Amino acid sequence: MAPAAMTFASSLSDAQPVPFWLDHPAKPGALPALTGDEHCDLLVVGGGYSGLWTALLAKERDPGRDVVLIEGREVGWAASGRNGGFCAASLTHGLGNGLARWPGELAKLEELGNRNLDAIEAAVADYGIDCDFERTGEIDVATEPHQLEELREMYEQAAGLGFTGLELLDQGALRAEVNSPTFLGGLWDRRGVAMLHPAKLAWGLKQACMDLGVRVYENTRGLDLTASGAGMAVRTAYGRVFARRVALGTNVFPSLVKRVRPYTVPVYDYALMTEPLSAEQLDAIGWKRRQGLGDSANQFHYFRITADHRILWGGYDAIYPYGGRVSAEMDHRPETYLKLAEHFFRCFPQLEGLRFSHAWGGAIDTCSRFSAFFGTAHGGKVAYAAGYTGLGVGATRFGGDVMLDLLSGERTERTQLQMVRSKPLPFPPEPVAWAGIGLTKWALARADANGGRRNMWLRVMDKLGLGFDS
């Protein structure tokens, strides 16, 4: 191993192979599994953000509604406890994706997204959820000249649509905010993103649900879904739940509605967390206003600073397992950790000698349009939301509202959206999915290396509305 690679490897020598957020003394103990039969008005399947928000909103809408939530492991153990803690207002995976797919209703989607983020901030305060919530915004960073032009075009498009709150930063202004020799400029969304502790948000939502009377069962996986009289039944390992209505928030895991499964694939994402920075190290990078950051490459990094002055550094590699299998063995990938460490010190050379305390990965529920899709089954008695593609920290609350609207049969401003009424294109079966995703990843890397120029394959994928998010 070359000396530089040895340095990067040494920075990882003490890294614990567990998600930093879940390695916390505030982690609550698991609740008992369901045994025997349960009956309820609404069953929520899945104890991540999607299920938790749905259960909470259901009780807020109707305090008398009898709600049960089941979770296959422990609340927040999967994507909800492993992400970067970026809670975005965008429901469309960014302005560009929204413009490409729903230009006619983008203004409404932006309004609903901003209201949704405001409601999350209010819920955190109202329920006393201690999750380090900070409305700091996020800066999209240019590290290559062509990215500067792309950010400028996005800023001008947003201004032309009447969207405010964005600030274009030149190199000097950006490096005054966060100092890296790789930064050339940036676009700062000042209010559209909050930083938070993702696992503590999930645990706080769990407690809020229970305080409102939701019965929560952990280590209770839903095995199958069948009609039962006027309602539905979900079988678990030790019992059954009979419910008038069912909301599915299983996201990356195989849906209990089998026809939904081709719409998502698991893509594994990885992250590192540093040890706490010293006062001198903090001075060397600035970052006084604690914004979230992400670079503008196709294979991008996302990074942020925590309440205890650590830096989370994630992204770049996006690994699709052949056949779309979700497995614990994919949660760690040392070769990706080494690559991320190298990229970290390239971005912040002034932090040489800093070490990483945690390294982990997890699966993202990815769909071909990058943003959530919705639907019903069994004559409207079952609703589902999935496909958040890495933007689920905030958008899952909106998805919970959509599922409840659909289950009630209401016509609302949400259910009338083309985004809600349409579906993404499904992924093809293997081996076509494996080959197509691999070719797309290669093409995205080539575009990054060639001034952002997209080859014919990517242009065809764009035209078909198919994508693969790195």
Side-chain angles (χ1 to χ4, degrees):
M1 187 179 289
M6 281 292 293
T7 300
F8 305 138
S10 296
S11 70
L12 292 161
S13 62
D14 296 323
Q16 296 299 304
V18 294
F20 169 78
W21 310 114
L22 298 175
D23 186 20
H24 196 283
K27 183 178 183 294
L31 295 170
L34 171 70
T35 56
D37 290 349
E38 262 280 21
H39 295 79
C40 60
D41 297 323
L42 173 67
L43 170 63
V44 179
V45 182
Y49 296 138
S50 191
L52 291 165
W53 280 118
T54 303
L56 187 69
L57 291 166
K59 293 296 285 186
E60 288 182 345
R61 290 186 181 199
D62 179 2
R65 179 162 20 191
D66 190 22
V67 180
V68 168
L69 183 150
I70 61 172
E71 161 54 41
R73 293 275 294 273
E74 294 182 35
V75 161
W77 78 275
S80 298
R82 296 167 185 259
N83 62 80
F86 289 63
C87 186
S90 178
L91 304 175
T92 63
H93 212 281
L95 188 64
N97 194 50
L99 277 170
R101 299 183 188 279
W102 306 287
E105 63 184 28
L106 185 60
K108 173 55 70 174
L109 287 166
E110 289 289 301
E111 176 198 338
L112 289 170
N114 287 321
R115 280 161 45 188
N116 183 65
L117 182 55
D118 289 343
I120 291 172
E121 184 171 18
V124 166
D126 292 345
Y127 290 105
I129 299 175
D130 175 17
C131 64
D132 304 332
F133 188 99
E134 298 179 276
R135 195 83 172 254
T136 59
E138 180 181 6
I139 303 176
D140 290 329
V141 173
T143 57
E144 297 290 343
H146 73 272
Q147 296 168 8
L148 278 174
E149 183 58 34
E150 291 168 359
L151 291 179
R152 187 175 297 107
E153 288 176 3
M154 185 60 63
Y155 174 77
E156 291 171 354
Q157 281 184 310
L161 293 167
F163 299 150
T164 59
L166 299 180
E167 181 178 349
L168 199 61
L169 304 176
D170 63 18
Q171 185 176 41
L174 175 56
R175 292 188 62 175
E177 294 293 332
V178 187
N179 185 21
S180 167
T182 67
F183 291 176
L184 302 179
L187 184 61
W188 185 2
D189 180 352
R190 284 182 169 269
R191 291 283 298 167
V193 183
M195 297 291 104
L196 52 77
H197 188 299
K200 288 168 71 175
L201 174 62
W203 301 333
L205 290 173
K206 170 185 172 181
Q207 187 60 55
C209 285
M210 292 191 297
D211 290 345
L212 293 183
V214 177
R215 299 193 299 289
V216 178
Y217 296 96
E218 294 181 294
N219 293 308
T220 302
R221 182 183 168 201
L223 300 175
D224 60 48
L225 172 71
T226 57
S228 177
M232 302 298 300
V234 170
R235 182 173 59 88
T236 70
Y238 307 127
R240 296 171 299 176
V241 184
F242 297 91
R244 292 179 57 251
R245 297 289 184 267
V246 177
L248 300 178
T250 50
N251 296 307
V252 78
F253 298 100
S255 177
L256 293 179
V257 176
K258 291 182 180 179
R259 61 181 165 81
V260 176
R261 295 178 185 180
Y263 291 103
T264 62
V265 295
V267 172
Y268 278 81
D269 178 55
Y270 299 90
L272 305 176
M273 185 71 85
T274 73
E275 63 190 355
L277 274 64
S278 68
E280 293 76 14
Q281 289 167 327
L282 287 169
D283 285 343
I285 60 170
W287 219 340
K288 304 293 186 185
R289 292 195 259 196
R290 307 173 55 78
Q291 308 95 327
L293 287 93
D295 64 54
S296 301
N298 291 309
Q299 291 184 286
F300 64 92
H301 305 88
Y302 55 88
F303 39 119
R304 48 80 54 96
I305 196 162
T306 68
D308 60 347
H309 309 305
R310 302 169 184 264
I311 296 175
L312 178 142
W313 179 267
Y316 194 78
D317 273 346
I319 306 300
Y320 169 69
Y322 185 87
R325 190 168 61 94
V326 178
S327 65
E329 66 190 53
M330 290 292 299
D331 286 348
H332 297 288
R333 198 166 189 267
E335 58 267 45
T336 293
Y337 299 152
L338 190 61
K339 189 183 300 180
L340 286 172
E342 177 185 354
H343 296 173
F344 176 88
F345 288 110
R346 187 186 305 158
C347 181
F348 294 120
Q350 64 270 51
L351 298 182
E352 181 181 356
L354 190 66
R355 300 174 72 83
F356 298 101
S357 62
H358 295 75
W360 71 94
I364 295 171
D365 66 321
T366 300
C367 76
S368 62
R369 73 183 194 187
F370 297 167
S371 51
F373 62 92
F374 314 90
T376 60
H378 292 276
K381 290 180 286 189
V382 177
Y384 57 83
Y388 291 95
T389 317
L391 265 285
V393 180
T396 44
R397 184 191 177 280
F398 174 82
D401 263 330
V402 170
M403 284 195 283
L404 293 171
D405 289 350
L406 293 172
L407 288 173
S408 70
E410 292 180 66
R411 288 174 59 89
T412 69
E413 60 183 346
R414 290 178 289 264
T415 62
Q416 296 308 297
L417 291 167
Q418 183 187 358
M419 177 195 178
V420 170
R421 292 184 288 109
S422 63
K423 294 284 194 301
L425 289 172
F427 289 93
E430 299 293 11
V432 179
W434 168 262
I437 290 172
L439 181 56
T440 303
K441 286 182 60 180
W442 172 84
L444 289 169
R446 292 279 296 174
D448 283 338
N450 288 289
R453 291 184 291 276
R454 297 172 77 81
N455 65 14
M456 184 175 292
W457 175 259
L458 291 180
R459 293 197 298 272
V460 169
M461 292 296 100
D462 293 341
K463 195 167 186 178
L464 292 174
L466 283 167
F468 181 78
D469 189 28
S470 67

